[in-house]
Amino acid sequence: MPIVYSEKEASLQEVVTIQEVDDLLEWLLANTDASIDLAECRHLHLAALQTLASARRPVTAWPQDEAFKGWIKPLLTTGE
């Protein structure tokens, strides 16, 4: 499962495709105080990245891959 949801956090794992975006958006709308864990994520479809960027949620863990982290961190940093 590419995304594991709890009440307070979504853990994105491995490859998150466009098929997961609708559920991710629905979860983000229903859990307005929740955070994102990207530690196990290796790839995000652009639609998933845009969904996360627009939600402006805190990221509790960044991807282990430094190149991937360097590419998405500026887009997902909320400034908090």
Side-chain angles (χ1 to χ4, degrees), residues 3-80:
I3 304 176
V4 177
Y5 298 102
S6 71
E7 189 174 311
K8 293 294 179 184
E9 187 172 76
S11 177
L12 284 67
Q13 303 175 357
E14 297 298 320
V15 176
V16 178
T17 67
I18 195 162
Q19 285 79 18
E20 285 81 45
V21 173
D22 287 340
D23 289 341
L24 177 60
L25 177 58
E26 186 176 317
W27 181 85
L28 287 165
L29 292 172
N31 297 278
T32 57
D33 293 332
S35 59
I36 306 298
D37 177 349
L38 298 169
E40 300 299 320
C41 188
R42 293 186 300 112
H43 177 79
L44 288 172
H45 187 278
L46 182 56
L49 181 59
Q50 290 172 321
T51 300
L52 291 174
S54 67
R56 301 185 51 80
R57 300 300 171 79
V59 176
T60 58
W62 293 100
Q64 297 174 20
D65 180 295
E66 289 297 321
F68 182 49
K69 175 183 170 181
W71 184 72
I72 65 169
K73 189 172 182 177
L75 302 171
L76 297 180
T77 301
T78 62
E80 297 175 3

